[in-house]
Amino acid sequence: MSEATIPPSCSLAARPSEWSAWNRVLPRVIPLLLAAPLLLYMVVFYALPVASMLLRSLNDPSWSMDHYAALLGDVVFLKVFWITLSTSFVVTLSTFVLSYPVALALSRARSSAPFILIVILLPFWTSVLVRSYAWMVLLGRHGLVNEGLLALGLLEHPIRLLNTTLATQIAMTHIMMPYMILPIANALRQIDPSLALAASGLGATPWGVFRQVVLPLSMPGVAVGVLLVFVLALGFYITPALVGDAREITLSMLIANEVDQLHWGYAATLSAVLLATALGLIAIVQFLPGVGNAFRMNLQ
């Protein structure tokens, strides 16, 4: 066979160009193929249900915004929404105050770091329901806390701790602590130790080193932890329902109540508000000057 009869696609000169084209395409195609199962799963089991929820809030009774407009004058919703936001704020603040020293100890520990990490994660591996029941035992009228205070002579009779707002805040703070500790500890580990040594060599006190060097450089981890805790606290249901005050319900509890009464449109509207609140908080953090870039770098 002469060279003139060889098809152009089979010529040796064409093969290198074909391979070069594949080499350019493959790096773009392979990540998509690897992520395709997860993307399909998220679309089927998350995006479609969320879209169905949003549509249900509009098509009851006739593709209108009546449910959303009614929320502005709904005293019950406004009170529940305020309780949800205030509880999330208190839980986030208390979690940060308690978690930062633990994260600092974890970042500076060497031989004991694995033990501290296990102590932090051990409650995290336990079900939220189990931990909520444990707090019911601790905070009950005849629980360990009341019995301990009575034994020490600090109380004359048991006080009401369970089924209060304080009980909800204590239990949620305990559950949320790993979400705050781990991002802060990660940010603290990335701080160059020579910066603290340089500040000390220039005459800074230990408190000055922490305030002017360590704390500012750990803000990316703090931003991630605060966002995680606040957003997760917005949707808490089990813990407030078990240990909280029945008169001060959260938005997730109100949604569950509306679903039980088959008020699907109103429940979908409340769910959309909860989702929009969480997404709005994430957007605010992303676009804050300085904090947004640090937040994205810490996530990477």
Side-chain angles (χ1 to χ4, degrees):
M1 181 181 293
S2 63
E3 293 183 0
T5 60
I6 298 177
S9 60
C10 298
S11 64
L12 295 176
R15 291 178 183 176
S17 61
E18 293 176 3
W19 279 109
S20 62
W22 272 107
N23 290 334
R24 290 194 299 269
V25 173
L26 281 177
R28 302 177 183 177
V29 174
I30 290 178
L32 294 177
L33 294 177
L34 293 175
L38 176 61
L39 293 176
L40 180 62
Y41 180 87
M42 293 297 293
V43 168
V44 174
F45 294 102
Y46 181 77
L48 292 180
V50 170
S52 175
M53 175 198 68
L54 295 175
L55 291 176
R56 190 182 289 272
S57 69
L58 296 175
N59 65 2
D60 185 12
S62 57
W63 296 97
S64 65
M65 301 288 290
D66 292 342
H67 286 305
Y68 294 96
L71 292 180
L72 298 177
D74 191 341
V75 178
V76 174
F77 163 74
L78 294 177
K79 180 181 178 181
V80 170
F81 191 62
W82 169 250
I83 291 173
T84 303
L85 290 178
S86 59
T87 301
S88 300
F89 176 78
V90 172
V91 169
T92 303
L93 181 61
S94 59
T95 304
F96 168 71
V97 172
L98 295 175
S99 299
Y100 199 99
V102 180
L104 190 61
L106 177 62
S107 65
R108 295 186 176 181
R110 293 296 179 262
S111 59
S112 59
F115 174 75
I116 297 176
L117 189 60
I118 291 174
V119 172
I120 294 170
L121 294 179
L122 191 59
F124 187 68
W125 296 329
T126 308
S127 170
V128 175
L129 182 61
V130 174
R131 282 180 281 177
S132 299
Y133 275 119
W135 279 108
M136 292 177 67
V137 174
L138 290 172
L139 300 176
R141 188 169 185 84
H142 298 286
L144 294 179
V145 175
N146 268 316
E147 293 295 334
L149 294 176
L150 289 172
L152 294 173
L154 299 177
L155 294 178
E156 295 181 358
H157 53 82
I159 61 174
R160 183 191 176 196
L161 294 175
L162 189 61
N163 300 126
T164 62
T165 303
L166 178 61
T168 300
Q169 295 168 354
I170 292 174
M172 289 179 62
T173 299
H174 168 250
I175 294 171
M176 291 285 100
M177 283 187 68
Y179 295 99
M180 183 73 73
I181 293 173
L182 296 179
I184 296 177
N186 180 56
L188 290 170
R189 283 183 177 274
Q190 297 178 9
I191 298 176
D192 189 351
S194 62
L195 297 176
L197 293 175
S200 298
L202 293 174
T205 62
W207 168 246
V209 173
F210 172 77
R211 182 172 55 86
Q212 297 179 357
V213 178
V214 177
L215 184 60
L217 293 178
S218 66
M219 280 298 106
V222 173
V224 174
V226 167
L227 182 64
L228 283 175
V229 171
F230 195 92
V231 170
L232 291 174
L234 286 175
F236 250 65
Y237 171 75
I238 294 177
T239 304
L242 291 178
V243 306
D245 191 344
R247 296 169 299 180
E248 296 187 2
I249 65 174
T250 60
L251 191 55
S252 58
M253 296 170 64
L254 181 60
I255 293 171
N257 182 62
E258 295 299 323
V259 171
D260 290 339
Q261 298 181 18
L262 302 182
H263 298 161
W264 299 106
Y266 190 60
T269 305
L270 295 175
S271 302
V273 170
L274 185 60
L275 177 62
T277 304
L279 294 178
L281 291 172
I282 295 173
I284 290 173
V285 172
Q286 291 285 333
F287 291 103
L288 282 177
V291 177
N293 292 332
F295 174 74
R296 288 186 287 271
M297 289 176 62
N298 194 72
L299 286 182
Q300 294 173 358

